[in-house]
Amino acid sequence: MAVDVGDAAPDFELRDQHGAPVRLSGFRGDRNVVLVFYPLAFSGVCTGELCTIRDELPSLGDPDDVQVLAVSVDSMFALRAWSDQERFDFPLLSDFWPHGGTARDYGVFDEEKGLALRGTFVIDTEGVVRWKVVNAIPDARDIGEYRKALAEL
């Protein structure tokens, strides 16, 4: 079942690239969240997208107001190696087990390929989805759209 604009964002707790638990509801009342699902670490389009987020993060808004959470089915060990290599300064969350469970909850899991589509959800401080886009696996997203969505909150 897909999550739509206006829906309460399904809560989850996943481990980041350092093994620390990160819970979506932990940001409620404090920060807007840009939740970015991507297929696989180390792949070309995913690296390009997340490096753009890393480089453009200050333009998305005040870091005290906006939290980026990036989610894939990779293990936290693969995410740690990728994060160290690319110097990502936001959490990379492992949706490894149950395999793709969080991506399924958001309606962005490709059952045939066993990985997430390129789904992005902007979630406000009350935990409500205010904007979303879902792209096919080979299609990169436009970070300018994130800026627009966050500016409207």
Side-chain angles (χ1 to χ4, degrees), residues 1-10 33-37 103-109 117-124 128-136 141-142 145-150 152-153:
M1 183 172 153
V3 173
D4 288 317
V5 172
D7 291 348
V33 173
V34 178
L35 181 61
V36 179
F37 289 91
R104 278 186 184 91
D105 289 346
Y106 279 79
V108 295
F109 190 74
L117 301 171
R118 294 184 191 285
T120 304
F121 300 83
V122 172
I123 302 164
D124 70 13
V128 176
V129 175
R130 294 299 176 192
W131 181 83
K132 83 172 204 178
V133 65
V134 179
N135 289 9
R141 293 163 276 206
D142 178 2
E145 296 298 319
Y146 302 3
R147 276 191 216 97
K148 288 179 194 173
L150 288 164
E152 293 175 6
L153 293 181

Side-chain angles (χ1 to χ4, degrees), residues 3-59:
V3 173
D4 288 317
V5 172
D7 291 348
D11 197 18
F12 59 83
E13 182 176 297
L14 297 171
R15 299 219 173 255
D16 72 9
Q17 68 266 39
H18 304 287
V22 175
R23 187 171 200 88
L24 177 63
S25 59
F27 299 100
R28 195 162 293 151
D30 185 41
R31 291 184 184 172
N32 298 304
V33 173
V34 178
L35 181 61
V36 179
F37 289 91
Y38 61 95
L40 293 168
F42 294 101
S43 63
V45 176
C46 295
T47 299
E49 283 189 315
L50 268 62
C51 286
T52 299
I53 291 171
R54 176 200 63 208
D55 297 344
E56 299 291 327
L57 194 57
S59 73

Side-chain angles (χ1 to χ4, degrees), residues 25-121:
S25 59
F27 299 100
R28 195 162 293 151
D30 185 41
R31 291 184 184 172
N32 298 304
V33 173
V34 178
L35 181 61
V36 179
F37 289 91
Y38 61 95
L40 293 168
F42 294 101
S43 63
V45 176
C46 295
T47 299
E49 283 189 315
L50 268 62
C51 286
T52 299
I53 291 171
R54 176 200 63 208
D55 297 344
E56 299 291 327
L57 194 57
S59 73
L60 293 179
D62 184 336
D64 292 334
D65 294 332
V66 177
Q67 177 65 57
V68 171
L69 300 175
V71 182
S72 77
V73 297
D74 296 290
S75 73
M76 74 174 186
F77 304 105
L79 295 177
R80 174 66 184 265
W82 193 41
S83 178
D84 288 350
Q85 175 182 305
E86 300 298 337
R87 302 184 198 285
F88 294 131
D89 54 0
F90 48 84
L92 302 182
L93 305 179
S94 175
D95 196 13
F96 187 75
W97 197 257
H99 189 75
T102 300
R104 278 186 184 91
D105 289 346
Y106 279 79
V108 295
F109 190 74
D110 184 318
E111 295 288 344
E112 282 186 28
K113 293 184 171 89
L115 42 78
L117 301 171
R118 294 184 191 285
T120 304
F121 300 83

